[in-house]
Amino acid sequence: MALNRNSEQPDLSLPDDYKHDHPEEHPTDWGWHGEWGRAARVAGWVVAIILVLMMLPSHYNGQGTLFLGLVAGGLVVALLWDRTRRKNAWRQ
Protein backbone atom coordinates (compact mmCIF):
# COMPACT_ATOMS: atom_id res chain seq x y z
CA MET A 1 0.00 0.00 0.00
CA ALA A 2 1.46 3.33 -1.03
CA LEU A 3 1.65 6.22 1.39
CA ASN A 4 -0.76 9.06 0.90
CA ARG A 5 1.18 12.06 -0.41
CA ASN A 6 -1.37 14.44 1.08
CA SER A 7 -0.98 13.07 4.61
CA GLU A 8 0.74 14.99 7.38
CA GLN A 9 4.52 14.60 7.50
CA PRO A 10 5.91 12.98 10.67
CA ASP A 11 7.59 15.27 13.18
CA LEU A 12 11.19 14.02 13.45
CA SER A 13 12.50 16.93 15.51
CA LEU A 14 13.58 16.71 19.13
CA PRO A 15 11.00 17.09 21.90
CA ASP A 16 10.63 20.57 23.38
CA ASP A 17 11.76 19.54 26.87
CA TYR A 18 14.96 18.04 25.44
CA LYS A 19 15.68 21.19 23.45
CA HIS A 20 15.19 23.27 26.61
CA ASP A 21 17.66 21.19 28.65
CA HIS A 22 20.20 20.65 25.85
CA PRO A 23 20.47 23.81 23.75
CA GLU A 24 22.68 23.46 20.69
CA GLU A 25 24.31 20.22 21.83
CA HIS A 26 26.31 18.46 19.14
CA PRO A 27 28.22 15.16 19.45
CA THR A 28 31.44 16.88 18.36
CA ASP A 29 31.23 19.06 21.47
CA TRP A 30 31.95 16.10 23.73
CA GLY A 31 34.43 14.28 21.49
CA TRP A 32 32.40 11.97 19.25
CA HIS A 33 33.20 12.45 15.59
CA GLY A 34 31.32 9.49 14.16
CA GLU A 35 34.24 7.19 13.48
CA TRP A 36 35.59 4.22 15.41
CA GLY A 37 38.93 4.32 13.67
CA ARG A 38 41.46 1.56 13.77
CA ALA A 39 39.57 -0.61 16.29
CA ALA A 40 36.63 -1.06 13.92
CA ARG A 41 38.90 -1.99 11.02
CA VAL A 42 40.81 -4.54 13.11
CA ALA A 43 37.54 -5.98 14.42
CA GLY A 44 36.23 -6.21 10.86
CA TRP A 45 39.22 -8.26 9.73
CA VAL A 46 38.96 -10.50 12.82
CA VAL A 47 35.26 -11.14 12.13
CA ALA A 48 35.99 -11.88 8.45
CA ILE A 49 38.63 -14.43 9.45
CA ILE A 50 36.27 -16.03 11.98
CA LEU A 51 33.55 -16.32 9.31
CA VAL A 52 35.97 -18.03 6.93
CA LEU A 53 37.07 -20.40 9.71
CA MET A 54 33.42 -21.21 10.39
CA MET A 55 33.18 -22.49 6.81
CA LEU A 56 35.69 -25.28 7.54
CA PRO A 57 33.43 -27.67 9.52
CA SER A 58 31.15 -29.76 7.36
CA HIS A 59 27.58 -28.53 7.04
CA TYR A 60 24.47 -30.56 6.29
CA ASN A 61 24.19 -28.76 2.98
CA GLY A 62 26.08 -25.97 1.28
CA GLN A 63 23.62 -23.23 2.23
CA GLY A 64 25.39 -22.36 5.48
CA THR A 65 28.73 -22.27 3.71
CA LEU A 66 27.25 -20.08 0.98
CA PHE A 67 25.91 -17.47 3.38
CA LEU A 68 29.05 -17.46 5.51
CA GLY A 69 31.09 -16.90 2.36
CA LEU A 70 28.78 -14.13 1.12
CA VAL A 71 28.89 -12.28 4.43
CA ALA A 72 32.67 -12.70 4.76
CA GLY A 73 33.16 -11.59 1.16
CA GLY A 74 30.94 -8.55 1.63
CA LEU A 75 32.83 -7.61 4.77
CA VAL A 76 36.19 -7.93 3.01
CA VAL A 77 34.94 -5.81 0.09
CA ALA A 78 33.72 -3.13 2.54
CA LEU A 79 37.05 -3.15 4.40
CA LEU A 80 39.04 -2.86 1.16
CA TRP A 81 36.77 -0.04 -0.04
CA ASP A 82 37.33 1.78 3.26
CA ARG A 83 41.08 1.31 2.94
CA THR A 84 41.06 2.73 -0.58
CA ARG A 85 38.82 5.61 0.47
CA ARG A 86 41.11 6.55 3.36
CA LYS A 87 44.26 6.16 1.23
CA ASN A 88 42.99 8.44 -1.53
CA ALA A 89 41.19 10.98 0.67
CA TRP A 90 44.08 13.44 0.65
CA ARG A 91 44.02 13.64 -3.16
CA GLN A 92 40.57 15.18 -3.37
Side-chain angles (χ1 to χ4, degrees):
M1 179 175 166
L3 296 174
N4 184 359
R5 292 183 183 175
N6 299 326
S7 66
E8 183 178 340
Q9 295 296 322
D11 183 17
L12 300 177
S13 64
L14 296 172
D16 292 331
D17 59 345
Y18 184 87
K19 289 179 191 176
H20 180 269
D21 294 334
H22 303 88
E24 299 298 320
E25 181 179 274
H26 299 286
T28 55
D29 295 341
W30 42 270
W32 176 255
H33 298 287
E35 205 173 298
W36 282 94
R38 186 171 185 217
R41 292 187 292 274
V42 169
W45 285 109
V46 168
V47 169
I49 290 169
I50 289 171
L51 289 173
V52 170
L53 290 175
M54 287 173 63
M55 292 170 53
L56 296 179
S58 60
H59 295 279
Y60 177 71
N61 57 16
Q63 186 174 8
T65 305
L66 172 70
F67 283 105
L68 285 171
L70 288 175
V71 172
L75 187 57
V76 168
V77 167
L79 289 167
L80 291 175
W81 172 80
D82 179 60
R83 181 179 178 189
T84 305
R85 180 187 60 84
R86 284 183 298 107
K87 182 179 177 183
N88 296 331
W90 64 274
R91 295 182 187 169
Q92 294 178 352

